[in-house]
Amino acid sequence: MVVSVDTNDPLVLKKYVEANHQRGQALISQNRGERVPVQVTFARPIPIADVKAMVEKTSFQVTSFLLVGYSTISQQRGFHVQFNSLDGDIPDREIMDPATGDELVFSGIMALQGEVKAAEDGLGYWLSNDQVYLVDTTKLEALNLAASRHSKETANKQIEVSLPTPFWELDW
């Protein structure tokens, strides 16, 4: 399932961010102690050590993350996605063109996906963090809608939900 949002339209993006904030607050107020899937997009690249500390503080279970940075030659922005936790090796650069020696030097983490407890010390921390641009909780809503509207088709199946992250639209 692919969630499509026109992240190029500032008004649409603002409404999407606000809707996710409200949904996140509602999940906290229900406080059933359950873990919920989220995608966090930072307002700017955050150093890996800082993100690791936030993840540890909130018991966030990371399943993937996105590093961003700049080319050493053209200064163009680029990214690298890793599909694992923050516990493994995380590169600080990546060769873009061996012929020219152009490398992508990472500035930090711009987005992460995973699960966090729907409580003030989990999801609430991310929602109130000034370094965070968007805490996207749409995946849970999409899965719930699919299960209620298409129960026969989704029964006993793992549904993947792809969410947009507006990191390209941010000034980093």
Side-chain angles (χ1 to χ4, degrees):
M1 188 180 319
V2 176
V3 176
S4 181
V5 177
D6 184 1
T7 59
N8 292 314
D9 183 328
L11 185 58
V12 170
L13 185 54
K14 182 179 180 193
K15 287 180 181 180
Y16 187 73
V17 169
E18 289 171 358
N20 273 283
H21 188 80
Q22 290 172 0
R23 189 180 313 114
Q25 291 295 341
L27 288 167
I28 292 169
S29 69
Q30 294 167 5
N31 197 6
R32 295 185 222 155
E34 62 191 14
R35 300 186 73 75
V36 294
V38 296
Q39 177 173 272
V40 174
T41 300
F42 293 102
R44 65 185 190 310
I46 305 296
I48 294 164
D50 294 355
V51 175
K52 283 183 175 183
M54 288 185 258
V55 162
E56 186 175 316
K57 179 178 184 169
T58 59
S59 299
F60 190 112
Q61 294 176 341
V62 177
T63 56
S64 68
F65 58 96
L66 184 137
L67 293 163
V68 295
Y70 294 90
S71 159
T72 55
I73 295 176
S74 69
Q75 295 301 306
Q76 290 185 344
R77 299 189 305 176
F79 70 95
H80 169 83
V81 178
Q82 280 196 217
F83 294 98
N84 55 12
S85 71
L86 294 171
D87 297 332
D89 290 333
I90 301 173
D92 59 357
R93 59 186 58 232
E94 180 177 272
I95 301 245
M96 293 175 60
D97 185 352
T100 63
D102 192 12
E103 293 182 304
L104 180 61
V105 177
F106 298 117
S107 305
I109 294 176
M110 196 68 185
L112 44 102
Q113 289 186 338
E115 292 186 344
V116 69
K117 189 175 177 183
E120 282 298 332
D121 62 344
L123 182 58
Y125 171 85
W126 295 97
L127 288 169
S128 65
N129 188 319
D130 291 341
Q131 296 175 313
V132 173
Y133 178 76
L134 169 63
V135 179
D136 198 328
T137 57
T138 305
K139 181 175 181 176
L140 181 61
E141 183 173 342
L143 291 173
N144 289 340
L145 285 171
S148 68
R149 294 181 181 173
H150 306 284
S151 58
K152 290 180 185 176
E153 294 87 347
T154 61
N156 301 317
K157 292 183 183 171
Q158 183 161 344
I159 309 295
E160 293 296 322
V161 179
S162 177
L163 302 172
T165 173
F167 76 96
W168 284 116
E169 275 53 76
L170 302 176
D171 184 24
W172 52 274

